[in-house]
Amino acid sequence: MTFFLLLGFSVILFRAAYLQLIGRLDYVERIAEKFPKTVVVRIPVYRGSIKDRAGRDLALSYPTISIYAFPKVVRNKEDLARRLSAILNEKEDVLISKLNEDKKFVWLARNVDRSYKNYVREVIKDTGNSPAVGIEEGFTRVYPHGHLASNLMGFVGGDGRGLEGLEYALDSVLYSKPIKRIFVSASKGYTLALDTDDSPLNLKTSDVYTTLDLGIQGIAEDVRDQIVKDWNPRRVAILVMDVRTGDILALATYPYYDPNHYRDYPPQSRRNYAVTDLFEPGSVMKPFFIGTALDKGYIPYNYTLYAEMGKMEIFGRIVRDVHPYGTLTLDQVLIKSSNIGTIKVARFLSKKDVQELFRKLYFYDEFHVLPGEVRPRIPDLQYPANILYASIGQGIALNLLHLCAAFGVLATNQLVKPRILLTNDPPQILTSGVFSERTLRWLQKNLMRVVEEGTAKLARSQFFTIAGKTGTSQKFDFAIRRYSREKVVAYFVGYFPATNPLFVAGIMVDEPKGPNPYGGTAAAPYFKELVERVAFLKGLKPDKTGQ
């Protein structure tokens, strides 16, 4: 009996404490809403800005006013509606219909330019509606650069909460809960605002500085637009990172949208394809497999092989090279991007070797830095065929973020975790010493030769050294259960200046349309433009002798 008395007393005590300390406002609100002369109004609070690394606004909250009314006590409705319609871009009859609604409270307009505040006050006063119509100051979200970095930024809903992109990921930092007020209609038509919440307001919102560089972002979007004009692709993604810190400096995608009017665009226009979608990387994978075989000592640096004149059967499938080759040296396998030569090198690698490589490249996990990021898809390496096909970028699927981070390894011999928030913390090194110094130098020299004399000659700059790799991945057609000859994904991923790497970047073009839609034509030339414009923007001195 004593137990039940104590239990009952505890429940009553807990309920009283909850109402007093936590749930008092909610409790008062529920009661207030039941009374005909009361209404609860939620007033938005400033949302923190999102800025680039130099403090330039990418998203900010613009001060506005909203106009509310208590319809049952409004006077001179026609005059009020006529004068307000002049600034609200709303027809008079629409405003009158709101004023005639059988409701305690209505919003006549939301998020009106604050410059009209004094005019609205005069209209309310002149029509004798000071007790019945009021103004609340608030904020609306504005993206001053329109579609710039839109698929990364995301957008904010009508309730002020982030719905996609960085707006969603950083919502707990950017957002403060709205202030709640209870309005009570008093005698003689007047209204009173009762502050029912005397607890401190949650106004701890902060501005957020990202690693983005507005100048580099603009260049990346110009390059993207040129690709779209020239190749009419299905999708494009361009990513630029600081190879030393992992800072994401630019991220451009196609399709894109204007977050100021996000409702006007379909969901596929809002996807951040650099991280949300996986693609087979094609020949971009070749340097990693060749480098591993060298590092393990399975083949010498002067290794030669026979490339079967461009055609070879691998586990029941015919693999081809773009051009028929006979005997190739190891550096020629990489420079000419021979599928058959790479597969013959990959035959030396065990399941354990490839798993170790993929762990070092962080292919078994996401980086957890951008919203919507997906984990790479790795084939079952128990089967030798999957190892061989993965060496030429088939059967394995990555996003552009993982590819660029992996190519950072070829530039610095360490995998730096990408980051989007600007911080003074040192970069996070996930892996270091991926290759021996000798193998790394061999790879770096020949990745420069890929650009100077190989498949990426259209990426060659007369001012700056570039190291990188083209890739052209055939898309698997599930309808016919084989790789399509028409639908491909074209890549160029690399770093620059190659003699002193500062930046790593990647261009992905999904289903380019036109003659020779390969990585060397649909991506490489645009990488050159990206490199030169970024280098000149940052005031880099050309590193090619005599230039």
Side-chain angles (χ1 to χ4, degrees):
M1 185 67 176
T2 303
F3 170 77
F4 288 107
L5 287 173
L6 288 174
L7 180 62
F9 180 76
S10 298
V11 170
I12 294 172
L13 185 63
F14 174 79
R15 181 62 176 168
Y18 172 81
L19 290 175
Q20 182 64 31
L21 301 176
I22 302 173
R24 182 172 63 86
L25 180 58
D26 292 336
Y27 188 68
V28 172
E29 286 179 24
R30 288 198 296 270
I31 293 176
E33 292 286 13
K34 297 180 183 298
F35 284 83
K37 293 187 178 183
T38 61
V39 66
V40 179
V41 179
R42 291 161 177 80
I43 303 166
V45 175
Y46 172 80
R47 181 179 176 88
S49 296
I50 301 177
K51 302 174 180 289
D52 85 335
R53 62 191 305 112
R56 293 168 290 201
D57 286 315
L58 302 172
L60 69 154
S61 290
Y62 184 76
T64 61
I65 60 171
S66 295
I67 307 168
Y68 64 84
F70 299 90
K72 294 184 179 179
V73 292
V74 173
R75 303 171 181 173
N76 304 314
K77 295 181 179 180
E78 289 78 10
D79 191 28
L80 177 69
R82 176 181 59 81
R83 296 186 64 184
L84 288 181
S85 68
I87 63 165
L88 298 184
N89 195 28
E90 190 74 88
K91 294 181 178 180
E92 293 180 38
D93 56 352
V94 173
L95 292 174
I96 290 174
S97 67
K98 290 182 179 181
L99 293 170
N100 288 328
E101 288 186 30
D102 187 22
K103 293 182 178 179
K104 295 182 292 180
F105 176 94
V106 295
W107 289 106
L108 296 180
R110 304 297 299 269
N111 298 323
V112 179
D113 192 320
R114 189 177 284 188
S115 63
Y116 292 115
K117 181 178 177 180
N118 290 335
Y119 172 78
V120 174
R121 279 179 171 170
E122 288 300 316
V123 170
I124 293 172
K125 181 180 178 181
D126 289 349
T127 57
N129 279 302
S130 295
V133 181
I135 299 172
E136 282 297 345
E137 298 190 16
F139 303 89
T140 188
R141 201 60 165 171
V142 175
Y143 302 88
H145 305 285
H147 61 71
L148 198 79
S150 59
N151 300 60
L152 173 62
M153 299 303 300
F155 55 88
V156 170
D159 61 354
R161 304 304 299 264
L163 295 180
E164 287 188 12
L166 291 181
E167 292 279 28
Y168 173 79
L170 302 173
D171 195 58
S172 61
V173 178
L174 299 170
Y175 173 80
S176 275
K177 67 178 182 180
I179 302 169
K180 298 177 182 179
R181 290 183 184 173
I182 295 181
F183 287 90
V184 180
S185 297
S187 59
K188 299 182 181 180
Y190 287 92
T191 57
L192 300 175
L194 302 180
D195 184 2
T196 60
D197 188 2
D198 55 7
S199 62
L201 295 176
N202 179 24
L203 303 181
K204 298 179 181 179
T205 54
S206 299
D207 293 341
V208 172
Y209 287 77
T210 68
T211 59
L212 290 179
D213 183 304
L214 197 60
I216 298 178
Q217 179 69 34
I219 292 171
E221 301 213 1
D222 282 350
V223 172
R224 173 206 60 198
D225 292 344
Q226 190 61 49
I227 294 172
V228 172
K229 179 181 177 182
D230 293 345
W231 292 94
N232 188 26
R234 183 183 178 199
R235 291 175 286 195
V236 177
I238 301 177
L239 182 68
V240 182
M241 294 169 53
D242 187 317
V243 76
R244 302 157 298 177
T245 64
D247 287 358
I248 297 172
L249 302 173
L251 199 163
T253 57
Y254 171 82
Y256 51 84
Y257 70 108
D258 183 350
N260 294 298
H261 308 286
Y262 67 90
R263 292 184 180 88
D264 298 338
Y265 296 83
Q268 59 266 29
S269 293
R270 306 197 301 255
R271 291 178 67 86
N272 185 359
Y273 293 108
V275 297
T276 61
D277 288 54
L278 300 175
F279 300 90
E280 292 189 349
S283 298
V284 175
M285 289 302 301
K286 290 174 181 176
F288 300 103
F289 279 78
I290 294 173
T292 301
L294 283 171
D295 245 11
K296 295 293 181 181
Y298 297 151
I299 55 175
Y301 290 91
N302 61 354
Y303 183 69
T304 60
L305 54 80
Y306 182 64
E308 308 294 337
M309 298 307 296
K311 182 178 179 181
M312 182 179 177
E313 183 178 336
I314 306 294
F315 289 96
R317 275 182 52 201
I318 299 297
V319 175
R320 291 180 170 83
D321 282 334
V322 176
H323 303 287
Y325 300 117
T327 301
L328 294 175
T329 59
L330 189 61
D331 56 350
Q332 289 175 327
V333 170
L334 183 58
I335 295 166
K336 296 179 181 295
S337 197
S338 169
N339 291 328
I340 294 170
T342 304
I343 285 176
K344 285 195 170 186
V345 171
R347 281 176 164 173
F348 290 95
L349 301 180
S350 68
K351 170 187 173 182
K352 182 180 178 182
D353 294 332
V354 180
Q355 286 177 329
E356 179 185 5
L357 171 65
F358 287 173
R359 277 194 295 269
K360 289 179 179 179
L361 298 179
Y362 219 70
F363 284 177
Y364 288 108
D365 201 0
E366 307 101 284
F367 290 117
H368 303 285
V369 295
L370 293 177
E373 184 186 338
V374 291
R375 181 181 305 176
R377 188 177 69 238
I378 305 300
D380 187 348
L381 300 176
Q382 189 71 34
Y383 301 99
N386 288 342
I387 293 176
L388 301 185
Y389 285 118
S391 72
I392 60 172
Q394 292 185 357
I396 179 175
L398 308 169
N399 60 35
L400 190 60
L401 180 65
H402 268 87
L403 275 179
C404 288
F407 255 76
V409 170
L410 300 174
T412 65
N413 211 15
Q414 58 186 17
L415 184 71
V416 183
K417 182 177 181 179
R419 62 187 184 188
I420 192 62
L421 298 182
L422 193 63
T423 174
N424 292 323
D425 296 336
Q428 185 176 349
I429 308 302
L430 299 176
T431 317
S432 60
V434 178
F435 296 108
S436 68
E437 284 301 316
R438 184 182 181 188
T439 297
L440 185 68
R441 287 195 300 271
W442 186 93
L443 287 168
Q444 291 174 338
K445 178 183 70 174
N446 287 297
L447 287 172
M448 289 176 64
R449 292 178 65 192
V450 168
V451 176
E452 294 297 323
E453 59 189 85
T455 58
K457 283 185 289 188
L458 293 179
R460 183 172 54 198
S461 167
Q462 69 179 100
F463 304 106
F464 298 96
T465 55
I466 299 170
K469 186 70 187 74
T470 55
T472 305
S473 173
Q474 293 174 293
K475 298 181 73 171
F476 191 82
D477 190 329
F478 289 93
I480 58 178
R481 300 197 61 79
R482 63 175 175 83
Y483 281 92
S484 171
R485 294 182 180 180
E486 293 79 29
K487 296 180 180 180
V488 301
V489 182
Y491 291 97
F492 187 90
V493 186
Y495 57 88
F496 64 97
T499 55
N500 180 28
L502 299 176
F503 305 98
V504 61
I507 296 178
M508 182 277 292
V509 186
D510 180 24
E511 297 186 20
K513 299 172 184 65
N516 302 317
Y518 306 126
T521 52
Y526 306 94
F527 196 91
K528 171 193 170 183
E529 180 183 351
L530 181 73
V531 167
E532 292 183 344
R533 291 182 62 181
V534 169
F536 289 134
L537 175 71
K538 293 303 177 182
L540 300 185
K541 182 179 179 181
D543 65 338
K544 282 197 169 180
T545 305
Q547 299 299 319

